[in-house]
Structures are given as structure tokens and as C-alpha cells.
Amino acid sequence: MIAHASAFGAGLLFGVGLWISGMATPRKVLDFLDIAGGWDPSLALVMAGAVTVTLTLFGRVLKRPSPFYAEQFALSLKQQVDAPLILGAALFGIGWGIGGYCPGPALTALSNLSAEAFVFVGAMIAGGLAHRVAFD
């Protein structure tokens, strides 16, 4: 039970952070990505904060024998960059650039009850299911 409450709390904190930063607003994200037009650099500060927290704490967390509420860490064993990784990253970036959402902010944006957020999340789920059918 405490593991579920912890996961919910972390997700809620993440979602609130996305709202405060403006990442749940596609126009703000698209303005950040439009470096040749009306570029809005404010999301760079959000990314800088996230990178700072990660660089400061990630190593310390992984030195623990286990997470607080799990038996072991779930880390990828993949050690090299390959074609599927590059293709997946490119598709992710293209989708982000077209829709103005990435997965976390898209889920947060569902609370706006906007059709575009529901379409994006639906397409995201369909893509995940299609990948599972094709590759599992």
C-alpha cells in the first residue's frame, strides 16, 4: 500500500510541476521548439532544473542497496546506441514537435478536457499497442 501511495505522490508532484512550468500547454512547448521564430526560452530553465536535480541525486540514489519501496531497481541493461533507439527517439521528437506534447505533459493536459489532448493521448496509446502487437 505504501508503494502505491508513494508512486501516486510522486506522479502528483510531477504533474503539478508540469503544470507550473507550462509544459502541459502545447503553445508554450511549440514556442520553445521554434528557435527560428518566436522562441520562448523559459522551458530551458525547467530542463536545467531537472538536469541539476538528476545530476545531483541520481548517483546517490543508485548507491543505495534498493529503492525505498521495492526490492530492486528497474534499470535498463542496454549499453549501446542502436538503430531502434535512434528511430524511436526521432519518432518521439517528431511527435513532440507536431503535437506540442510529450507523454507526461499530455496526460497532465487531459485535465484541460481539450480534444487535442485526448486525441494525442489516444494516438499515444494506439502507438504503444501497435508496437506491442508488432514486436512482442
Side-chain angles (χ1 to χ4, degrees):
M1 178 65 180
I2 193 154
H4 294 295
S6 174
F8 178 79
L12 183 63
L13 180 63
F14 181 68
V16 169
L18 291 172
W19 262 119
I20 291 170
S21 69
M23 286 198 67
T25 307
R27 182 76 264 150
K28 186 163 186 72
V29 173
L30 292 172
D31 286 347
F32 172 70
L33 296 173
D34 186 10
I35 58 173
W39 185 54
D40 177 2
S42 62
L43 291 183
L45 297 173
V46 174
M47 285 193 290
V51 168
T52 300
V53 169
T54 300
L55 289 176
T56 304
L57 299 176
F58 200 69
R60 285 190 224 170
V61 168
L62 289 180
K63 286 181 183 173
R64 294 181 47 80
S66 67
F68 286 117
Y69 304 115
E71 292 183 26
Q72 64 185 24
F73 290 103
L75 301 172
S76 173
L77 300 176
K78 195 169 203 162
Q79 297 290 317
Q80 55 186 305
V81 175
D82 58 7
L85 177 65
I86 292 171
L87 179 62
L91 287 172
F92 177 89
I94 290 167
W96 191 28
I98 290 171
Y101 291 117
C102 69
L107 293 173
T108 301
L110 289 175
S111 64
N112 285 340
L113 300 176
S114 71
E116 67 183 16
F118 281 95
V119 169
F120 187 92
V121 170
M124 185 173 72
I125 291 169
L129 292 172
H131 179 273
R132 180 170 286 173
V133 166
F135 296 102
D136 282 353

